[in-house]
Amino acid sequence: MIISALYVLCCACFAQQWHTTLDVLRPAAKDFPRGAADMLIVNNTVKQPDDFGHALVLFGNNKGNQTIDLAQAATRALFAATQHFDESGLFSSVGLVNRSMADGTFFAGNSLSRKLTDSLCLAYNSDAVLALDRILIYDREELYLGDDYNYYAYLQVYVTTSWTLTTRSGSFSTLTRSDTLLWEGSSYDSNLAFDKLPDRQTALLDVAEYAGEQFAIQFIPQWETVDRYLYENSDSLLTEGMRHFTCRRWEQAVRTWQLCYDLSKQAGKKSKANLMENCAYAAADIAVTCEILGDLAQARQWAKLSIEAFSKMQSADAAQQQVNMTFYLQELEQRQKDETKLSSQ
């Protein structure tokens, strides 16, 4: 069941609607190449030249590249990526070789040779080597006077990491990622505007760490908190079901709300009374509870019954709730797709 936590009935959104949240697991944005159970992460970078890529512009005048030491950039990225991969549970083991294996230049780097990757796999008992071949950071720091006579400063950083994954079986994949971060500051005084920006070297190293984190995260399933809504009115069975729900007696809540749904539907047929509200509310509540129980197929069926009941009610609120339930049904369908994808990752 892809639900890690439930915060029950935090607050009432409307007179007849309650709110709760679920933590659901979403598939990774990208599939990691297969063949890596025991992975070794390796530094294969050459340090970026200190005077390359660090522009400074003051009041429209380009002051050229500044000198910034990024000797620790690769280390920051590698440690961040290694930590996230290791904590993900996707691999049996994750090791790190931080000493650079590179024998090229920054502008003409090379991937690790097959002979070297085989040697590393043997030495570290790994079946795959993920090598960081390059980390490239461009940044621009600028100060200018705005139309409102305030001074504005910003630091914008672009970072690209290039990786190569080689498995012991011989498969080879090239992986890249680019990220951008921006800091801004403003003041009536130009020095104060600049002071609001972070130290440039510190910021660039922080961006390198961020790049390593984001590279790893895109291959790791992530938990996401989602909103769910339940309904209640003065009907005794709806209220009883809600009491079971708040005490986490999920099956009892479902049975009570199903009884409410069945009785309301039967009474509506016999007396022509407008009992669709009870049907709509009970079905919606059952749908959420079935989702909590991990039965997404049943949750979808009850969501459809709730939509059907709301569609038969003649009110603006019912029309809005029908829209809300339709959106919820789409979320359930997406979760079923996500479960299928998660099982294959």
Side-chain angles (χ1 to χ4, degrees):
M1 180 172 63
I2 313 172
I3 298 175
S4 66
L6 176 69
Y7 307 93
V8 184
L9 301 183
C10 303
C11 62
C13 299
F14 304 102
Q16 296 173 329
Q17 194 173 19
W18 295 86
H19 171 253
T20 188
T21 59
L22 306 180
D23 286 346
V24 301
L25 189 62
R26 300 297 191 192
K30 292 185 177 181
D31 293 328
F32 199 83
R34 295 188 179 277
D38 295 287
M39 184 169 67
L40 180 66
I41 300 178
V42 175
N43 186 348
N44 188 43
T45 67
V46 176
K47 175 189 170 186
Q48 180 171 327
D50 293 352
D51 59 352
F52 177 76
H54 314 303
L56 175 63
V57 180
L58 299 178
F59 305 110
N61 297 315
N62 192 336
K63 299 299 183 179
N65 283 321
Q66 305 302 293
T67 300
I68 300 176
D69 183 3
L70 294 181
Q72 293 301 310
T75 295
R76 294 281 291 272
L78 286 162
F79 272 90
T82 301
Q83 179 180 359
H84 279 75
F85 279 129
D86 188 38
E87 294 175 351
S88 71
L90 297 177
F91 305 93
S92 300
S93 66
V94 180
L96 172 64
V97 176
N98 187 45
R99 178 177 58 86
S100 180
M101 300 285 177
D103 60 2
T105 67
F106 179 77
F107 297 101
N110 297 311
S111 300
L112 295 176
S113 68
R114 181 58 195 275
K115 181 179 180 180
L116 181 54
T117 56
D118 286 346
S119 175
L120 288 167
C121 285
L122 182 62
Y124 291 90
N125 195 28
S126 300
D127 53 27
V129 171
L130 177 65
L132 175 59
D133 296 323
R134 175 184 288 185
I135 178 167
L136 172 63
I137 298 177
Y138 284 107
D139 51 288
R140 178 185 177 96
E141 196 170 45
E142 183 171 359
L143 175 69
Y144 63 93
L145 181 64
D147 294 336
D148 57 358
Y149 298 102
N150 273 332
Y151 292 94
Y152 293 87
Y154 71 85
L155 172 62
Q156 189 159 22
V157 184
Y158 308 87
V159 56
T160 299
T161 54
S162 301
W163 309 71
T164 301
L165 177 71
T166 307
T167 65
R168 185 176 288 187
S169 63
S171 65
F172 178 91
S173 302
T174 300
L175 310 166
T176 62
R177 180 180 172 89
S178 296
D179 294 284
T180 303
L181 279 86
L182 175 69
W183 289 266
E184 295 178 300
S186 65
S187 175
Y188 65 91
D189 181 272
S190 60
N191 291 325
L192 291 178
F194 243 143
D195 288 343
K196 292 183 178 181
L197 299 181
D199 173 76
R200 195 164 183 177
Q201 182 189 42
T202 300
L204 299 189
L205 293 177
D206 287 345
V207 170
E209 181 174 332
Y210 175 80
E213 292 175 355
Q214 294 305 305
F215 174 79
I217 285 173
Q218 66 185 339
F219 300 106
I220 301 171
Q222 299 293 311
W223 288 101
E224 177 184 331
T225 300
V226 296
D227 296 309
R228 294 294 182 256
Y229 297 92
L230 298 102
Y231 300 87
E232 184 184 10
N233 60 17
S234 59
D235 183 89
S236 61
L237 287 174
L238 281 172
T239 301
E240 181 184 346
M242 192 62 70
R243 283 199 298 269
H244 290 310
F245 186 91
T246 58
C247 294
R248 298 174 179 258
R249 297 192 291 264
W250 315 123
E251 291 85 357
Q252 289 174 268
V254 169
R255 287 195 295 269
T256 303
W257 282 326
Q258 186 163 358
L259 179 61
C260 176
Y261 178 90
D262 292 339
L263 291 176
S264 298
K265 191 169 184 180
Q266 291 171 9
K269 288 179 180 179
K270 292 179 180 179
S271 64
K272 306 298 182 183
N274 184 14
L275 296 173
M276 282 297 104
E277 180 180 279
N278 286 358
C279 291
Y281 286 5
D285 294 348
I286 294 172
V288 173
T289 312
C290 285
E291 183 185 11
I292 293 169
L293 290 169
D295 193 341
L296 297 180
Q298 279 296 307
R300 285 182 59 197
Q301 291 304 313
W302 283 104
K304 290 177 181 177
L305 290 173
S306 179
I307 293 168
E308 179 184 355
F310 276 126
S311 70
K312 295 178 180 178
M313 298 166 57
Q314 303 299 316
S315 71
D317 181 66
Q320 180 59 57
Q321 299 309 322
Q322 182 183 354
V323 171
N324 294 345
M325 288 301 300
T326 300
F327 177 73
Y328 176 50
L329 177 60
Q330 293 170 349
E331 289 195 314
L332 290 173
E333 292 170 345
Q334 183 59 53
R335 282 208 59 200
Q336 285 190 305
K337 295 177 183 176
D338 289 347
E339 282 202 340
T340 300
K341 187 173 182 180
L342 281 164
S343 64
S344 65
Q345 287 186 336

